[in-house]
């Protein structure tokens, strides 16, 4: 395999097509450089493999973030249909000068986010019950992403092992006869 | 056209962009790609071509997967729901039709979430398939292009 090109990012996919709006491109690129150094990637194939490992890590973090968002009791949860019908019913029954129920809801003061407060457990459990199907989808994705990650790391180590063997002159692989 | 055929023709499983395949091929071969590379028939170059195609498909599957998991709802179902909801506000619409519109808005709300969940599952399957195909293509390419030392 040839040495790493001058620009290890050459030929890799554009991160902006993979990242979500709440993820930073610069942070991704910095992390990729750090991964390339930590894994000791050399050559285009190993660099690509490290990129895939990083994308698995991003996917894992994404799924955790989405599960947290679904369980957050302070997240506004009104469906668009409920809002539409609520607004319609209000207009039908509107008294002069009354405020829209949706406006009233938005203006209400939400409590400040608390940390480690067991009083929030019932609210979190209620959210889990409501979004259980979607949370299960995310949990399944989490398992898939972790399996992909393990497989990607395994492949990287296999490629690096081949590279090291090829770099050693007259290398011979000696297997343990007891293991056969 | 069946849903599977539609996905292969238009969707996440359709042929990847030529530019993406060429970029991967250049990276794999470690040199600029010429027209002759696409016509080559030797096993090593064919394996490189196959790997480049699989890499481009994997990139697209990753992007599609990210896009599907970024949303909880289907935008087209939501737009349809808003159109139906307009009927609630017109004076000339009869009460019976308004009640029907309200029922449809509620059903479309649930439909939007169900469609989004289904798309997530499909995106996950496409990603797993693209990853497996790419890993097999990589293994085949390494087998043909990188000779291992003798085994004793």
């Amino acid at each position: 395999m040839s040495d790493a090109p001058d620009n290890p990012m050459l030929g890799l996919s554009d991160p902006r097509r993979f990242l979500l709006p709440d993820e930073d491109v610069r942070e991704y690129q910095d992390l990729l450089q750090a991964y390339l150094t930590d894994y000791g990637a050399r050559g285009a194939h190993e660099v690509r493999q490290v990129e895939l490992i990083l994308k698995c890590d991003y996917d894992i973090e994404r799924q955790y973030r989405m599960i947290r968002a679904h369980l957050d009791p302070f997240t506004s949860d009104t469906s668009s249909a409920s809002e539409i019908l609520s607004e319609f019913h209000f207009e039908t029954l509107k008294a002069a000068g009354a405020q829209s129920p949706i406006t009233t809801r938005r203006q209400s003061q939400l409590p400040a986010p608390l940390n480690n407060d067991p009083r929030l457990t019932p609210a979190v459990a209620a959210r889990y019950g409501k979004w259980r199907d979607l949370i299960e989808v995310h949990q399944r994705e989490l398992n898939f992403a972790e399996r992909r990650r393990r497989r990607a790391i395994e492949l990287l180590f296999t490629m690096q092992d081949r590279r090291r063997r090829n770099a050693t002159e007259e290398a011979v692989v000696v297997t343990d006869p007891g293991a056969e | 056209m069946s849903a599977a055929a539609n996905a292969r023709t238009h969707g996440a499983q359709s042929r990847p962009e030529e530019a993406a395949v060429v970029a991967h091929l250049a990276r794999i071969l470690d040199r600029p790609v010429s027209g002759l590379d696409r016509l080559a028939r030797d096993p090593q170059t064919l394996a490189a071509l196959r790997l480049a195609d699989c890499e481009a498909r994997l990139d697209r599957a990753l992007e599609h997967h990210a896009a599907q998991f970024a949303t909880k709802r289907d935008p087209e179902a939501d737009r349809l729901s808003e159109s139906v909801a307009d009927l609630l506000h017109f004076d000339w619409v009869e009460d019976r039709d308004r009640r029907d519109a309200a029922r449809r808005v509620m059903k479309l709300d649930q439909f939007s979430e169900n469609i989004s969940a289904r798309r997530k599952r499909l995106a996950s399957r496409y990603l797993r398939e693209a990853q497996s195909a790419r890993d097999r293509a990589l293994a085949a390419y390494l087998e043909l292009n990188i000779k291992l030392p003798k085994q004793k």
Side-chain angles (χ1 to χ4, degrees), chain B residues 112-126:
Chain B
S112 178
E113 288 176 6
N114 292 346
I115 282 286
S116 180
R118 183 169 180 270
R119 288 210 175 116
K120 286 178 174 59
R121 285 192 291 273
L122 271 175
S124 178
R125 198 184 89 199
Y126 293 158

Side-chain angles (χ1 to χ4, degrees), chain A residues 69-70 72-88 100-108 110 127 130-131, chain B residues 72-73 78 81-82 105-106 109-110 112-113:
Chain A
H70 292 317
D72 183 358
F74 298 111
T75 302
S76 170
D77 210 23
T78 314
S79 71
S80 60
S82 302
E83 284 188 2
I84 289 168
L85 294 176
S86 177
E87 190 73 33
F88 165 68
S100 158
I102 295 169
T103 311
T104 304
R105 193 161 43 247
R106 286 184 188 144
Q107 287 174 349
S108 68
L110 290 172
R127 301 251 341 158
K130 180 171 184 182
W131 294 111
Chain B
K72 220 160 62 172
R73 306 180 60 80
D78 287 346
S81 177
E82 284 167 16
V105 164
M106 293 305 295
D109 190 56
Q110 189 60 47
S112 178
E113 288 176 6

Side-chain angles (χ1 to χ4, degrees), chain A residues 1-151:
Chain A
M1 269 189 275
S2 61
D3 289 338
D6 291 339
N7 179 6
M9 304 302 185
L10 198 64
L12 297 183
S13 51
D14 182 355
R16 288 168 298 181
R17 295 177 67 165
F18 167 75
L19 297 177
L20 297 182
D22 59 343
E23 292 165 348
D24 184 43
V25 174
R26 190 71 220 169
E27 195 179 300
Y28 173 90
Q29 288 170 335
D30 290 345
L31 207 48
L32 180 57
Q33 288 287 9
Y35 272 44
L36 289 171
T37 306
D38 288 350
Y39 279 108
R42 280 166 53 189
H45 297 294
E46 290 182 24
V47 168
R48 168 61 171 173
Q49 201 61 24
V50 170
E51 184 201 25
L52 291 176
I53 293 169
L54 177 60
K55 286 185 172 175
C56 288
D57 284 345
Y58 259 75
D59 199 10
I60 290 167
E61 175 54 34
R62 240 174 232 165
Q63 302 304 328
Y64 277 124
R65 213 163 58 234
M66 288 174 192
I67 291 172
R68 271 199 300 273
H70 292 317
L71 293 176
D72 183 358
F74 298 111
T75 302
S76 170
D77 210 23
T78 314
S79 71
S80 60
S82 302
E83 284 188 2
I84 289 168
L85 294 176
S86 177
E87 190 73 33
F88 165 68
H89 285 307
F90 171 73
E91 283 181 10
T92 308
L93 303 170
K94 185 166 69 172
Q99 279 186 312
S100 158
I102 295 169
T103 311
T104 304
R105 193 161 43 247
R106 286 184 188 144
Q107 287 174 349
S108 68
Q109 294 295 321
L110 290 172
L114 300 169
N115 189 30
N116 195 23
D117 189 342
R119 291 173 297 173
L120 289 173
T121 303
V124 173
R127 301 251 341 158
Y128 177 79
K130 180 171 184 182
W131 294 111
R132 191 181 65 179
D133 290 345
L134 197 49
I135 288 172
E136 280 177 4
V137 170
H138 289 299
Q139 284 171 332
R140 232 184 348 255
E141 277 316 295
L142 209 46
N143 291 336
F144 292 148
E146 283 169 351
R147 271 209 295 272
R148 281 201 328 267
R149 183 181 187 275
R150 280 196 294 274
R151 173 76 183 133

